[in-house]
Amino acid sequence: MRVMVMDGQGGGIGKALVEELHTRHPQIEIVAVGTNATATANMMKGGTTLGATGENAVVFNSRKADAIVGPIGIVMANAMLGEITPKMAEAVSSSNAKLYLIPMNRCHANIIGIENKRLSEYIEEAVKRLAENQGE
């Protein structure tokens, strides 16, 4: 299974996702894809050797991934203070990969019905659901 972990800005959420995936499921191939070099570098510190940066990397890897994990802003054009280009958002949201999106209070969208959990709880839940759906 090939999992694309995507993040922007400092890559902190992506790094936590990579760490959790790498620890719980070392057999999964993880590709860290950042909107900028800092995000990619920080995600790679979480335990993967595969990483790429920028719009083309998002478009290319979205087509090759079985699952995409990241903050909810990765499917919203101009999210993350403009780091998510419309082409990036389209590539992720149009991918055939299963999407596992972490809700964030800091994006401009209010997702109704989301519980008020700690970020670490959402990360654990995303990794758990990804593993449960691995055979699909």
Side-chain angles (χ1 to χ4, degrees):
M1 174 178 228
R2 184 181 184 99
V3 177
M4 177 176 127
V5 177
M6 183 176 165
D7 200 2
Q9 300 191 313
I13 294 168
K15 180 182 178 190
L17 284 163
V18 169
E19 287 173 344
E20 190 75 14
L21 280 166
H22 183 69
T23 299
R24 293 181 183 257
H25 307 285
Q27 76 284 2
I28 292 176
E29 181 180 33
I30 304 168
V31 180
V33 179
T35 61
N36 62 66
T38 301
T40 303
N42 282 335
M43 286 190 284
M44 291 183 70
K45 290 176 186 174
T48 184
T49 57
L50 298 173
T53 301
E55 184 178 78
N56 194 63
V58 171
V59 172
F60 178 80
N61 286 289
S62 291
R63 290 191 301 252
K64 297 193 168 285
D66 298 306
I68 300 173
V69 189
I72 196 162
I74 66 175
V75 296
M76 294 181 217
N78 303 309
M80 295 185 192
L81 299 175
E83 286 190 27
I84 304 297
T85 67
K87 195 170 182 179
M88 287 176 176
E90 180 183 10
V92 173
S93 62
S94 298
S95 173
N96 288 328
K98 282 210 175 256
L99 301 179
Y100 298 89
L101 304 172
I102 307 296
M104 299 299 302
N105 294 335
R106 290 175 276 166
C107 68
H108 63 276
N110 292 297
I111 312 302
I112 307 305
I114 299 297
E115 298 176 45
N116 190 17
K117 292 183 181 181
R118 293 188 326 263
L119 179 58
S120 61
E121 292 175 296
Y122 280 123
I123 289 170
E124 287 176 25
E125 186 175 339
V127 170
K128 179 182 173 192
R129 286 193 189 183
L130 191 147
E132 290 172 354
N133 294 322
Q134 195 170 0
E136 292 183 9

